[in-house]
Amino acid sequence: MACRGRRPEHGGPPELFYDKNEAQKYMRNSRMIDVQTKMTGRALELLDLPDEKPCFLLDIGCGTGLSGDYLSDEGHYWVGIDISLAMLDAALDREAQGDLLLGDMGQGIPFKPGSFDGCISISAVQWLCNANKKSDIPAKRLYCFFSSLYSVLVRGARAVLQIYPENSEQLELITTQAIRAGFTGGVVVDYPNSAKAKKFYLCLFSGPSTFLPKGLHEIKEEEEAKESTFTNKRVPYRIARRGVVRKTREWVLEKKERRRRQGKEVRPDTQYTGRKRKPYF
């Protein structure tokens, strides 16, 4: 589970690490955009929201708004919180559709109880496991975060937090504080046998315990071999989703397949699936 290279959390606080240079990477590195988009899609799948119903979601560690773009494209409304001013400036420059808030999740989520239908977070929560100053106590900051998150969610809602734990002790610290705050749930591990593609998703329930989703095991070879490419131009978000435009046949088929993996009843695919209907008048 440990990272082979130097972890970003070891280089200092996130508000300093995620400067303008890092923000540019999230806007111009095609692989980073693709990975972020896929993890957001998986988090939204694990969130198991109602079909065809726009929800109000919280994106913790929203960064430049890549995850928010995915949420908007799926028809949801969202609010993002991040500690890095440079990343939020980049999100504003990209004209992200959600509302943005500068804040430290370790000091709590500053919203009214029951404000959100769900929460996602991509590669952010593990930052709370590191103390950047003497007053920082990881266990207390994690508990403050999870207890406030539990409060701002509608009862019965879920939070799906993608994390990169440094080791098993760090993973236990995170899950222990989440349970202490009132959550139930557990960790879903995708591709556990792959060194590159292995991902951890902390799936938390703010209501009665329900079944924990199963992790993915099959991985496409091209995803393992994909390399980073940089460009002087911004990489459009829709290109990151392989050109899947909302309401097209490909988009509909992808969404139906995602619902099938969730165990939901879905109508069979036909030649008319995703076909545009002419207006009656």
Side-chain angles (χ1 to χ4, degrees):
M1 188 183 300
C3 182
R4 285 173 289 183
R6 180 177 175 82
R7 295 176 63 91
E9 306 94 271
H10 296 169
E15 61 268 30
L16 298 182
F17 177 82
Y18 289 106
D19 54 13
K20 291 183 178 180
N21 291 330
E22 284 295 316
Q24 288 298 312
K25 292 180 183 179
Y26 280 86
M27 297 176 67
R28 306 186 190 280
N29 185 323
S30 61
R31 184 179 182 278
M32 292 179 72
I33 294 173
D34 184 64
V35 170
Q36 182 88 3
T37 301
K38 289 178 179 178
M39 289 192 296
T40 304
R42 176 58 171 155
L44 193 59
E45 179 181 325
L46 294 171
L47 212 53
D48 194 27
L49 298 171
D51 291 336
E52 304 300 331
K53 178 184 176 182
C55 294
F56 190 44
L57 305 176
L58 176 63
D59 182 5
I60 297 173
C62 63
T64 59
L66 291 176
S67 298
D69 282 348
Y70 190 102
L71 299 179
S72 296
D73 197 55
E74 290 295 318
H76 301 296
Y77 304 97
W78 58 279
V79 173
I81 181 172
D82 202 283
I83 198 172
S84 167
L85 183 58
M87 297 289 271
L88 293 179
D89 283 342
L92 290 173
D93 187 49
R94 293 179 61 255
E95 298 182 350
Q97 296 184 35
D99 294 321
L100 304 173
L101 174 68
L102 179 66
D104 178 5
M105 59 181 168
Q107 295 181 359
I109 309 300
F111 292 97
K112 294 180 179 180
S115 295
F116 297 98
D117 300 312
C119 168
I120 68 164
S121 177
I122 307 298
S123 311
V125 176
Q126 72 273 358
W127 282 89
L128 294 178
C129 296
N130 293 271
N132 295 303
K133 49 188 177 182
K134 290 183 178 180
S135 59
D136 285 350
I137 302 175
K140 288 187 176 181
R141 283 172 57 78
L142 281 164
Y143 178 73
C144 180
F145 163 66
F146 282 119
S147 59
S148 60
L149 176 60
Y150 187 89
S151 174
V152 301
L153 291 177
V154 173
R155 290 289 75 84
R158 295 186 182 188
V160 178
L161 317 174
Q162 186 276 324
I163 56 177
Y164 285 113
E166 185 173 3
N167 47 49
S168 57
E169 289 78 14
Q170 196 173 91
L171 182 60
E172 183 178 0
L173 173 63
I174 294 173
T175 54
T176 298
Q177 296 307 315
I179 294 172
R180 184 182 167 214
F183 284 107
T184 58
V187 178
V188 174
V189 183
D190 283 354
Y191 315 121
N193 299 320
S194 173
K196 294 182 179 180
K198 187 176 183 180
K199 296 292 185 297
F200 294 83
Y201 294 88
L202 182 60
C203 296
L204 303 175
F205 314 130
S206 63
S209 298
T210 183
F211 73 94
L212 190 66
K214 295 181 179 180
L216 303 179
H217 292 276
E218 297 181 2
I219 182 170
K220 298 179 181 179
E221 293 181 2
E222 59 267 24
E223 291 185 2
E224 287 275 15
K226 191 166 185 178
E227 297 180 356
S228 301
T229 57
F230 289 87
T231 175
N232 291 327
K233 299 180 180 180
R234 299 179 187 174
V235 179
Y237 167 72
R238 296 191 186 281
I239 292 180
R241 292 196 70 188
R242 306 176 302 284
V244 180
V245 180
R246 184 175 173 82
K247 298 300 183 181
T248 61
R249 176 179 171 82
E250 187 178 357
W251 179 86
V252 172
L253 291 173
E254 183 180 285
K255 187 171 184 179
K256 291 177 70 174
E257 182 59 31
R258 185 165 65 246
R259 296 300 180 184
R260 290 190 183 101
R261 290 199 301 268
Q262 294 173 347
K264 296 184 177 180
E265 185 177 350
V266 180
R267 292 183 179 180
D269 299 334
T270 69
Q271 59 179 328
Y272 302 107
T273 300
R275 185 175 179 179
K276 291 184 178 180
R277 269 65 172 179
K278 294 182 179 181
Y280 289 106
F281 302 100

